[in-house]
Amino acid sequence: MERKVAIIDVAQTKYGVRPDVHLPELAFEPVEEILKKTGLKFTEDGTGIDATVICCDDYWDGRTISGVYGTDVAGGHLRHEERLEADGTLGVFYAMLEILAGHADVILVISYCKESHTEPRLVENMSVDPIFLRPIGLDFLSAAALQANAYMTKYGITAEQCAKVVIKNRGNAKLNPYAQSVAKLTIEDVLRSDMLAFPIRAMDSKPVSDGACAVILAVEDKAIKFTDKPVWIKGIADCYDLHYPGDRQLAECQSLVTASQKAYKMTGITKPVEEIDVVELCETYSYQELLWSEGLGLCAPGKGGKLIESGMTEIGGKIPVNPSGGMISGNPAIVGGMTRVVEGVLQLRGEAGAHQVDGARIALIQGSHGICGQHQCVIILANDQGGR
Amino acid sequence: MPNRVAIVGIGQTHHAGHRYDVSFEEMLNEAVRAALKDAQLSIKDICAIITSNMDPFEGRGCSDTIAVAEIGAYLKAGVKPQTGGTSGATIFSVAWTYVASGLFDTVLVVGGEKQEEVGGDSQMAIITAVDELILRPFYTGALGGLAMLASKYIAETGCPEEIAALARVIMAENAVGNPYAHIRRKITIEDVLKSPMLIYPVRLLHMSPQSNGATALVLASEEKAKKITDKPVWIKDVVTVHHSGFIRYLSGLSPDPSSHEVAAKRLFQRNGITKPMEEIDIFEMYDPCIWEQIIWMEDFLLLGRGQAPKLIEKGVTKRDGAFPISPSGGVVSANDIGATGLTRFAEAALQIRKDAGDHQVTKEVNLALVSGWGAANWTILGLLSKSIT
């Protein structure tokens, strides 16, 4: 890469069900905050923000071309604005490519979703193949249940191990003022909660959530001018897996393995567990934290259960995973990956407060989109100590 | 110096009213195979795939993830941008960025639309594109907005209906020469003037049809492009500008210029173009309605306000004219929404390569202007060039 790209600031809403705001108002909250924090303006002369990238989804938003919700609130009017229908991590990826290509120097990326104003299972059902899969009622939950079964059966992962993920992440969420669900839980509470789709129970699943995030990326010389604490994008990669669950090896996550290996190679990481200080990943369901950890090479295939039992992934452990509380403590679809980026940046700037991982220098971020983590994106972030 | 990017492969399906013989994904696959064949590449040579269609128009969400196998994205990178009618042009611009970044040297871009397959309806969906509290109750889809724009233009310039009919006849003549166009029928001025009125002043024959079809392009870095083909078409520049309020603009409530005008200013300034009509050879325009072709020639700053009708009368915009517009037959001859914008770039590239067959323009094409349009008023304006500099 000829140009180096940094994240110069981040902002997020508090997550929760938000009947008090209309979607663009929700999207404006982090935009207003990030503009105030950075003092940057939308300009044409290269002194401020050059372009905008918006990540959102028409069906979730109940409006076609729903990026127009963000146009006015994110400086899109009569300016360069792109809109992606993808997880927020892909928005960060695309903004970085715009900067590397020299098409812009400073880019605002936002993502927003208000799950509470729609019927999530209908939205997800619209996002599977309409000929064979939609008529049988497949949604992301029932597809995830197939994957959980395949994974747990193949490797002997137990419901207790999955429940431990919930306990750890909900415990971490108590330390995060932006998290949605902070109720105190025991393993028994999780194991006795309502069965949604075997083996996924209500508490194995993330709650319905509303929220928005904003991130500003800048090219190196501008980044160091705008902030004392730039966070550098050292490695980034994404990868698609096949769509039909029957075509896939559901107990493995081939696309995540491919994406993470590419990102590690770009960064020069050979031993992820030794070299990475903190991990934020998108576990919509509890089993996914274990499976994604395997895909990211934090443990060998099938050893996700042992990983959670070892305590290595707790705050203070060797490789803390989701110190923010993760998706399971409440982040919306589409936004989830960008929340991970925001949290990774807070960790590397030492601004994560009560859930700070001491001395974090390199953060690993994962975002996913589509059924059973079909489209995976991996980002490796580093602060100045982690190496520009 | 940004990395140079070229179009090295062009493929499209026949744009038709219905494609009962294939599924949406199979239709995308047809275009992908055609583009790869044209570039003499295999899917193994492709690093990333950028795709789009319009979710609610089509009645399916996350179409990129559903069509992974058919577009060849399995274990590859990619993303799905989605900007309404602009989508096809947006994926081109996004793919250009992917290659220009230096991280991806060969990128496939594919767009398509097959609305009726699973019950999609673009006009019903477009009504949801406007604000649900104030505008939605009286919005009438793309047609309403386009008719308002045409009505405003007639009030301002007194442009007679015969001019629109003549422009439409020229498009029909072009489409007859284009084997991929959807509507390929010789029509007369009389036919256009007598076709049913949809919303004043827009008649049935003024409007673009609803089509099924797909288009795919392969873009490559300078180094790769020179190895792949001996007739690369270079992407000189692409500008994106979004106007947030189409209705606000139409009603005169906003003092701001149109997104087309802002985009044209930016593109011409960035590329040192002072006399666009002389320096540019052809314009493959996103003209969803024939009235807009007339109005937008002026919005894109090619001409002063009210001058386009004269130019059309003189035959300047014909295939053998001095400044051919949409020699493919334009969007009024085929409109498969996810592909439409991309097809404009494909057709302009064919003209530069002299591969347009029966609809090849008579003049030599070195520099082509290409536009995309959609959503609240999203403009993409690009320049394709035969020479690398």
Side-chain angles (χ1 to χ4, degrees):
Chain A
M1 293 187 288
E2 281 177 32
R3 304 177 105 198
K4 289 193 175 72
V5 179
I7 294 173
I8 60 166
D9 222 321
V10 293
Q12 60 186 328
T13 60
K14 179 172 167 56
Y15 302 96
V17 174
R18 295 287 304 273
D20 58 317
V21 285
H22 187 37
L23 191 52
E25 294 175 307
L26 180 69
F28 188 53
E29 288 180 12
V31 174
E32 191 177 28
E33 187 189 328
I34 206 166
L35 293 179
K36 206 176 279 174
K37 282 204 301 200
T38 57
L40 290 176
K41 292 193 163 56
F42 300 105
T43 60
E44 294 295 332
D45 58 3
T47 57
I49 298 165
D50 301 318
T52 303
V53 175
I54 296 174
C55 288
C56 58
D57 181 285
D58 285 8
Y59 280 114
W60 278 116
D61 296 344
R63 177 180 187 175
T64 195
I65 326 168
S66 68
V68 290
Y69 271 135
T71 302
D72 277 330
V73 302
H77 180 57
L78 289 181
R79 294 166 49 76
H80 184 171
E81 174 205 311
E82 292 297 1
R83 184 277 174 112
L84 307 178
E85 191 188 69
D87 179 72
T89 45
L90 269 302
V92 172
F93 194 168
Y94 180 66
M96 178 179 171
L97 295 178
E98 285 265 14
I99 295 173
L100 291 179
H103 297 162
D105 286 346
V106 183
I107 301 189
L108 170 68
V109 190
I110 68 163
S111 66
Y112 48 80
C113 185
K114 206 158 174 252
E115 291 182 346
S116 69
H117 75 177
T118 186
E119 177 48 67
R121 298 188 66 179
L122 280 180
V123 169
E124 292 170 1
N125 184 239
M126 290 302 280
S127 303
V128 298
D129 156 66
I131 310 279
F132 300 105
L133 299 180
R134 196 186 290 170
I136 60 168
L138 199 76
D139 58 6
F140 287 16
L141 168 67
S142 46
L146 293 173
Q147 185 170 41
N149 270 315
Y151 172 56
M152 292 166 78
T153 307
K154 179 167 180 186
Y155 292 118
I157 304 288
T158 64
E160 285 75 13
Q161 289 168 332
C162 293
K164 278 207 162 92
V165 171
V166 183
I167 302 300
K168 168 178 76 73
N169 290 358
R170 292 286 191 96
N172 292 348
K174 270 184 260 176
L175 308 173
N176 178 4
Y178 294 99
Q180 175 174 350
S181 302
V182 293
K184 203 174 174 189
L185 287 180
T186 64
I187 297 253
E188 284 68 38
D189 292 334
V190 180
L191 294 177
R192 281 187 205 140
S193 63
D194 291 346
M195 184 65 80
L196 300 179
F198 181 82
I200 297 173
R201 291 177 183 273
M203 284 179 188
D204 285 311
S205 169
K206 82 170 197 64
V208 166
S209 177
D210 304 338
C213 284
V215 172
I216 297 179
L217 283 77
V219 70
E220 184 174 15
D221 55 339
K222 290 197 177 174
I224 51 179
K225 213 167 72 189
F226 294 144
T227 177
D228 302 332
K229 295 200 252 184
V231 169
W232 305 96
I233 300 178
K234 302 275 289 178
I236 194 158
D238 73 300
C239 184
Y240 282 107
D241 205 332
L242 293 168
H243 180 65
Y244 297 92
D247 289 348
R248 293 170 58 179
Q249 299 293 325
L250 286 177
E252 326 294 333
C253 35
Q254 206 180 1
S255 55
L256 184 54
V257 172
T258 309
S260 60
Q261 289 306 320
K262 258 170 100 173
Y264 291 152
K265 197 176 161 199
M266 198 167 161
T267 318
I269 285 177
T270 50
K271 294 177 185 145
V273 179
E274 310 298 324
E275 294 170 67
I276 291 162
D277 302 306
V278 57
V279 181
E280 280 283 342
L281 53 77
C282 284
E283 58 353 335
T284 307
Y285 308 102
S286 56
Y287 81 91
Q288 289 183 343
E289 179 168 310
L290 308 180
L291 183 53
W292 298 168
S293 295
E294 295 173 19
L296 291 166
L298 306 182
C299 60
K303 301 292 178 202
K306 292 272 178 310
L307 183 73
I308 184 77
E309 281 179 342
S310 73
M312 275 167 71
T313 56
E314 287 166 20
I315 299 176
K318 191 172 167 60
I319 181 139
V321 175
N322 284 336
S324 67
M327 290 279 278
I328 233 158
S329 304
N331 298 142
I334 304 291
V335 178
M338 207 184 287
T339 307
R340 311 274 77 73
V341 174
V342 168
E343 284 293 335
V345 169
L346 292 177
Q347 289 288 352
L348 297 178
R349 293 167 70 134
E351 294 171 0
H355 64 290
Q356 178 68 45
V357 172
D358 287 338
R361 297 172 312 129
I362 294 179
L364 171 61
I365 309 298
Q366 174 259 358
S368 85
H369 192 226
I371 56 169
C372 304
Q374 202 195 331
H375 190 189
Q376 297 276 4
C377 183
V378 175
I379 305 177
I380 293 158
L381 301 173
N383 56 21
D384 277 335
Q385 289 72 44
R388 189 177 295 183
Chain B
M1 187 73 196
N3 297 318
R4 292 189 180 105
V5 183
I7 298 170
V8 298
I10 304 170
Q12 53 185 321
T13 66
H14 288 275
H15 308 284
H18 297 284
R19 283 297 304 275
Y20 295 119
D21 56 323
V22 286
S23 71
F24 171 69
E25 290 80 7
E26 288 168 335
M27 197 180 68
L28 293 182
N29 186 264
E30 268 182 29
V32 167
R33 283 176 188 275
L36 289 172
K37 190 178 170 196
D38 182 59
Q40 292 184 298
L41 292 177
S42 109
I43 194 70
K44 287 183 189 139
D45 302 310
I46 303 294
C47 317
I49 286 144
I50 317 296
T51 185
S52 192
N53 74 324
M54 276 308 301
D55 279 4
F57 293 15
E58 179 90 23
R60 74 179 83 207
C62 304
S63 61
D64 58 331
T65 55
I66 296 173
V68 161
E70 291 83 356
I71 60 176
Y74 176 49
L75 294 185
K76 292 188 197 301
V79 76
K80 180 186 177 193
Q82 199 200 59
T83 56
T86 337
S87 293
T90 299
I91 50 179
F92 181 83
S93 165
V94 165
W96 169 58
T97 301
Y98 263 65
V99 180
S101 74
L103 290 190
F104 301 91
D105 56 17
T106 318
V107 171
L108 177 76
V109 48
V110 53
E113 204 76 47
K114 195 164 188 283
Q115 288 177 34
E116 72 286 354
E117 183 167 285
V118 288
D121 182 332
S122 60
Q123 296 314 306
M124 286 303 290
I126 286 173
I127 289 169
T128 72
V130 297
D131 170 66
E132 60 271 55
L133 297 177
I134 301 159
L135 292 173
R136 203 175 291 179
F138 57 82
Y139 198 56
T140 48
L143 183 56
L146 296 169
M148 279 171 75
L149 193 57
S151 182
K152 185 176 172 219
Y153 181 76
I154 293 171
E156 276 173 13
T157 66
C159 177
E161 210 192 322
E162 285 72 15
I163 293 294
L166 175 61
R168 182 63 187 89
V169 169
I170 295 171
M171 285 303 106
E173 280 166 8
N174 290 349
V176 169
N178 177 4
Y180 294 103
H182 169 189
I183 312 280
R184 298 179 67 206
R185 199 165 30 169
K186 271 224 157 102
I187 52 173
T188 63
I189 290 184
E190 196 85 321
D191 293 335
V192 184
L193 291 173
K194 279 188 183 156
S195 74
M197 183 70 78
L198 299 176
I199 299 181
Y200 176 82
V202 176
R203 294 183 183 276
L204 183 64
L205 279 177
H206 294 157
M207 267 313 280
S208 49
Q210 282 196 359
S211 315
N212 285 181
T215 298
L217 294 177
V218 181
L219 306 189
S221 64
E222 181 176 357
E223 196 191 333
K224 284 270 175 188
K226 285 177 172 165
K227 281 182 201 154
I228 294 169
T229 175
D230 51 6
K231 41 183 182 183
V233 174
W234 300 97
I235 304 166
K236 206 167 153 70
D237 202 355
V238 184
V239 165
T240 299
V241 175
H242 193 189
H243 192 300
S244 67
F246 187 46
I247 302 290
R248 213 163 59 209
Y249 166 69
L250 283 176
S251 58
L253 290 174
S254 163
D256 294 333
S258 78
S259 52
H260 284 354
E261 191 180 324
V262 175
K265 244 181 216 156
R266 223 166 268 173
L267 185 80
F268 296 156
Q269 196 174 17
R270 254 167 40 178
N271 294 280
I273 290 172
T274 49
K275 292 176 186 149
M277 292 277 284
E278 288 168 31
E279 294 168 57
I280 297 164
D281 300 305
I282 59 158
F283 185 9
E284 183 65 43
M285 193 205 280
Y286 192 112
D287 41 10
C289 164
I290 202 66
W291 284 102
E292 271 59 31
Q293 185 186 87
I294 302 166
I295 303 164
W296 290 351
M297 283 165 71
E298 298 169 11
D299 279 10
F300 282 124
L301 306 176
L302 303 175
L303 297 158
R305 187 51 91 210
Q307 290 178 5
K310 264 193 212 96
L311 218 69
I312 289 164
E313 248 180 333
K314 280 189 204 151
V316 174
T317 61
K318 285 177 144 181
R319 213 160 61 208
D320 56 358
F323 191 77
I325 292 189
S326 300
S328 63
V331 182
V332 292
S333 303
N335 186 21
D336 28 20
I337 298 165
T340 306
L342 189 61
T343 309
R344 310 277 70 74
F345 284 94
E347 285 291 342
L350 286 174
Q351 292 287 346
I352 288 176
R353 280 178 21 178
K354 283 192 183 164
D355 283 341
D358 287 346
H359 64 294
Q360 181 72 42
V361 299
T362 31
K363 71 191 281 196
E364 182 82 13
V365 183
N366 292 308
L367 193 58
L369 186 65
V370 185
S371 75
W373 173 82
N377 226 8
W378 221 314
T379 301
I380 289 189
L381 196 60
L383 278 174
L384 301 182
S385 147
K386 185 184 262 178
S387 64
I388 190 161
T389 45

